[in-house]
């Protein structure tokens, strides 16, 4: 990458993804064929044994070509492609970030509009309200700082105390930037730790002062990393581990002659991190890791070598597989659902998962074990159906190139992790992409695996119960609808990111938005908790509403697919309509905005007696607005026990004097959706 | 990329511009100021230097490249004598 010791270009067949992208560009078809780009890049990254640096270099080469395409052309032909406006600014020349950033975002199906800040003007651009960059409504603002931001300010000669002072000044500046960014309300601000170079450290000949400088520097970076903890719109990329994994910070010649503080290798690694930061904030984080078994979770082939012949735990040969299993278990503890997809005899697989002394992962760690001779896309489809998630929420880690190619071809929305013939690299490969990155983990995440296992028990009950109505009655559903506690705000924000199928407006709300709404006297926030005889489903939904002179407006209503189609969604709205009627409000208004995933919710409001009254003013294309006149109220489905509590701020909103407990045994009207599955 | 050679032909340099940098050029553009080429951006020069260094394994003299104003000059700098005769 930056080090020019590569003896030649990576081996590239005439039909390598990079060659094909070049051909598309040469024929002027890149804009027209834009949907072909993400699968092409997925193929490039699924590179088996090629060195990571070569793959990143090819990816940047693709990004450079992609960046020459006019985004307007792409959008004119493919209006549904999400456009990410990325402001790139910082202490040095950073235009070289455009290529890898464009490629990384394109891997995720996102189109990049880069806006490069003027050289040396980052502080002005990011803090002055009237500045050029302030007018750009950025989805993500990348403010890349390097050690020059500190060292360029020092007197000559300098000592550690001068560095401490300069670091303090830079900290103040960064605070000013985060404050201005929070006020602007646009997207995510991405900062980074500043790498300290030997060029700086070794200018001090005194060991003690060197160590002091090192300590001062780490304290500065630590403050920077802590900045994000109370600022949900800020992410800080820690460059140190990226440098440790990928090599040099910069090419000194590029730094001196072109003022480029970071080499293309580091920029490529950084761009990958940014890609996942953007993904996570768009609700695109993956939910389920599907693992192959033979030569992935253990060494050898179970069908040939037998349970005693496979390598896992114990000896040297099993060590890398145990390391991978421990990492996978660690991911699972943070809410990543695990599944197995293996072309093996099911009973033999279950025996190993239950009995093999070397295994770290056990049957109970997996929400689903698909072991059969069916093709793997069938396995993944079965896992998706059982969990009520889509292929776009899944990642397959597999050492067999043909299996990965099959998934890329048949389920292009799923991601693949290319494991190689060297199991010692499995962990690195698995973690090379932050597929499961999330802005903030909630307690709900940690309990997810148990919850999805309850889902399996519910499926079993459903099979026994015969009719769906009987099944619903047997479930014993209790719905609690109440203003969230402050510690639940983050969970609601996260739910809005993860919920796609029943998200009536497709809106994502931040923790700050929830907090602000909870505090506002004219706003109402209700969290939906659901329990049944199999356990507590936790906080599975939220409703954000606003009171105006013409009635109550339901701005956001979302419900996890975990509890969909059990009458909960109807019950929640029925209860809110009742409360609004009791309160003498003239009407309840609602909105539905179609997204690629929420088509099944289109008829939801009309099914509860809402009337469509056209498109919203100035709203996004396709938004429908509805009105309920509260004359004929739908009943809460009879199989639900529903408890609506309106807290203090909410009470002011709806002026419901006391808590309204709505428990009804009436017939299940308005439950026409219950037959639809996720 | 056909720059494995330490003495590339002018056509190879034009190919590098078109295929790798995405800047469409023909032989008529070899004396045009780089800033006047459609799609040119100074980042392209940094990328070109990197690509050539990767492909040839040789270190280029950056100041001369960063001061180059035309494709002909870049071609001369890529030659075995590093452009000593290519001043124009």
């Amino acid at each position: 990458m930056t080090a020019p010791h590569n003896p030649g270009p990576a081996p590239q067949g005439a039909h390598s993804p990079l060659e094909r992208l070049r051909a598309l560009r040469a024929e002027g078809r890149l804009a027209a064929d834009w949907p072909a780009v993400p699968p092409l890049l997925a193929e490039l990254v699924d590179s088996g044994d090629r060195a990571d640096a070569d793959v990143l270099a090819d990816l940047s080469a693709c990004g450079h070509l992609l960046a020459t395409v006019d985004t307007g052309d792409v959008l004119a032909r493919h209006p549904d492609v999400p456009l990410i406006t990325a402001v790139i600014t910082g202490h040095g020349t950073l235009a070289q970030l455009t290529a890898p950033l464009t490629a990384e975002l394109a891997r995720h199906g996102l189109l990049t509009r880069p806006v490069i800040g003027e050289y040396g003007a980052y502080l002005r651009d990011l803090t002055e309200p009237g500045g050029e960059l302030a007018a750009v409504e950025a989805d993500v603002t990348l403010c890349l700082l390097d050690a020059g931001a500190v060292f360029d300010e020092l007197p000559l000669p300098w000592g550690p105390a001068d560095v401490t002072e300069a670091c303090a000044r830079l900290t103040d500046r960064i605070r000013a930037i985060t404050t201005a960014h929070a006020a602007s309300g646009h997207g995510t601000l991405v900062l980074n730790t500043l790498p300290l170079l030997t060029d700086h450290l070794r200018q001090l000949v005194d060991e003690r002062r060197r160590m002091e400088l090192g300590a001062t520097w780490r304290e500065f970076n630590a403050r920077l990393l802590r900045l994000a903890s109370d600022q949900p719109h800020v992410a800080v990329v820690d460059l140190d581990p990226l440098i440790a994994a990928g090599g040099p910070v910069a090419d000194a010649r590029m730094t001196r002659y072109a003022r480029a503080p970071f080499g293309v290798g580091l920029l490529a690694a950084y761009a990958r991190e940014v890609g996942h930061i953007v993904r996570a904030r768009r609700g695109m984080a993956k939910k389920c890791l599907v693992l192959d078994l033979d030569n992935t979770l253990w060494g050898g082939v179970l069908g040939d070598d037998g349970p005693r012949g496979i390598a896992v735990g114990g000896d040297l040969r099993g060590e890398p597989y145990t390391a991978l299993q421990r990492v996978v278990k660690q991911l699972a503890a943070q809410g990543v659902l695990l599944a197995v997809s293996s072309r093996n005899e099911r009973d033999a697989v279950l025996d190993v998962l239950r009995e093999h002394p070397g295994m770290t992962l056990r049957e109970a760690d997996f929400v689903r074990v698909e072991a059969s001779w069916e093709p793997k896309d069938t396995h993944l489809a079965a896992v998706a159906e059982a969990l009520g998630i889509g292929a776009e929420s899944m990642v397959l880690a597999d050492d067999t190139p043909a299996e990965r190619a099959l998934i890329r071809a048949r389920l292009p929305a799923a991601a693949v992790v290319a494991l190689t013939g060297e199991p010692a690299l499995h962990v690195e490969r698995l973690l090379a992409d932050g597929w499961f990155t999330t802005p903030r983990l909630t307690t709900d995440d940690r309990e997810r695996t148990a919850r999805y296992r309850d889902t399996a028990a519910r499926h079993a009950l459903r099979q026994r119960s015969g009719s769906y109505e009987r099944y619903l009655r047997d479930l014993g559903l209790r719905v609690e609808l109440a203003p969230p506690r402050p510690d639940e705000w983050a969970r609601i924000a996260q739910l809005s990111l993860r919920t796609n199928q029943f998200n009536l407006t497709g809106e994502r709300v931040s923790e700050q938005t929830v907090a602000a709404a909870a505090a506002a006297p004219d706003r109402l926030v209700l969290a939906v908790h659901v329990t049944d005889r199999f356990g507590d489903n936790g906080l599975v939904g939220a409703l954000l509403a606003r009171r105006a002179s013409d009635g109550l407006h339901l701005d956001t209503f979302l419900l996890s697919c975990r509890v969909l189609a059990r009458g909960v969604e109807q019950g929640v709205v029925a209860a809110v309509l009742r409360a609004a009627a009791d309160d003498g409000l003239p009407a309840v208004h609602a909105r539905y905005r179609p997204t690629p995933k929420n088509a099944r919710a289109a008829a939801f409001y009309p099914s509860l007696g809402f009337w469509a009254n056209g498109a919203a003013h100035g709203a996004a294309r396709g938004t429908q607005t509805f009105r309920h006149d509260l004359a004929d109220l739908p009943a809460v489905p009879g199989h639900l026990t529903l408890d609506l509590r309106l807290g203090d701020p909410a009470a002011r909103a709806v002026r419901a004097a006391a808590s309204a407990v709505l428990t009804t045994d009436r017939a299940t009207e308005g439950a026409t959706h219950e037959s639809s599955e996720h | 990329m056909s720059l494995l050679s330490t003495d590339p032909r002018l056509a190879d340099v034009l190919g590098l511009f078109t295929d790798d940098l995405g800047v469409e050029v023909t032989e008529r553009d070899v004396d045009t100021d780089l800033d006047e080429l459609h799609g040119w951006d100074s980042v392209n020069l940094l990328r070109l230097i990197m690509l050539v260094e990767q492909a040839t394994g040789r270190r280029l003299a950056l100041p001369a490249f960063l001061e180059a104003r035309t494709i002909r000059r870049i071609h001369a700098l890529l030659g075995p004598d590093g452009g000593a005769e290519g001043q124009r």
Side-chain angles (χ1 to χ4, degrees), chain A residues 463-476:
Chain A
Q463 306 219 310
R464 284 200 307 275
S465 298
S467 80
Y468 196 68
E469 287 74 32
R470 170 85 194 281
Y471 158 71
L472 288 175
R473 275 202 304 280
D474 289 351
L475 259 183

Side-chain angles (χ1 to χ4, degrees), chain A residues 9 18-19 21-22 25 57-58 60-66 68 99, chain B residues 1-3 12-24 44 47-48 51-52 54-55:
Chain A
L18 175 55
E19 291 295 336
L21 194 84
R22 275 197 191 119
R25 188 184 179 282
D58 275 5
S60 288
C62 290
H64 190 87
L65 296 178
L66 289 172
T68 63
Chain B
M1 193 167 31
S2 44
L3 273 171
D12 296 335
V13 180
L14 292 173
L16 193 65
F17 269 67
T18 301
D19 296 342
D20 294 283
L21 300 182
V23 179
E24 311 287 346
N44 280 311
R47 179 149 190 86
L48 180 130
L51 287 172
V52 173
Q54 272 181 8

Side-chain angles (χ1 to χ4, degrees), chain A residues 33-45:
Chain A
D33 286 0
W34 207 89
V37 171
L40 200 128
L41 298 181
E43 183 186 337
L44 194 160
V45 175

Side-chain angles (χ1 to χ4, degrees), chain A residues 590-652:
Chain A
R591 289 186 301 138
Y592 166 74
R593 189 174 68 84
T595 69
K597 305 293 282 302
N598 72 358
R600 283 177 192 167
F604 174 69
Y605 285 126
S607 77
L608 291 172
F610 282 79
W611 290 91
N613 59 355
H617 309 292
R621 166 172 71 93
T623 300
Q624 286 181 293
T625 60
F626 299 96
R627 182 176 188 279
H628 199 293
D629 60 13
L630 304 179
D632 191 6
L633 295 173
V636 173
H639 63 274
L640 298 181
T641 305
L642 196 146
D643 179 14
L644 170 65
R645 283 186 294 110
L646 300 170
D648 283 348
R652 263 177 277 137

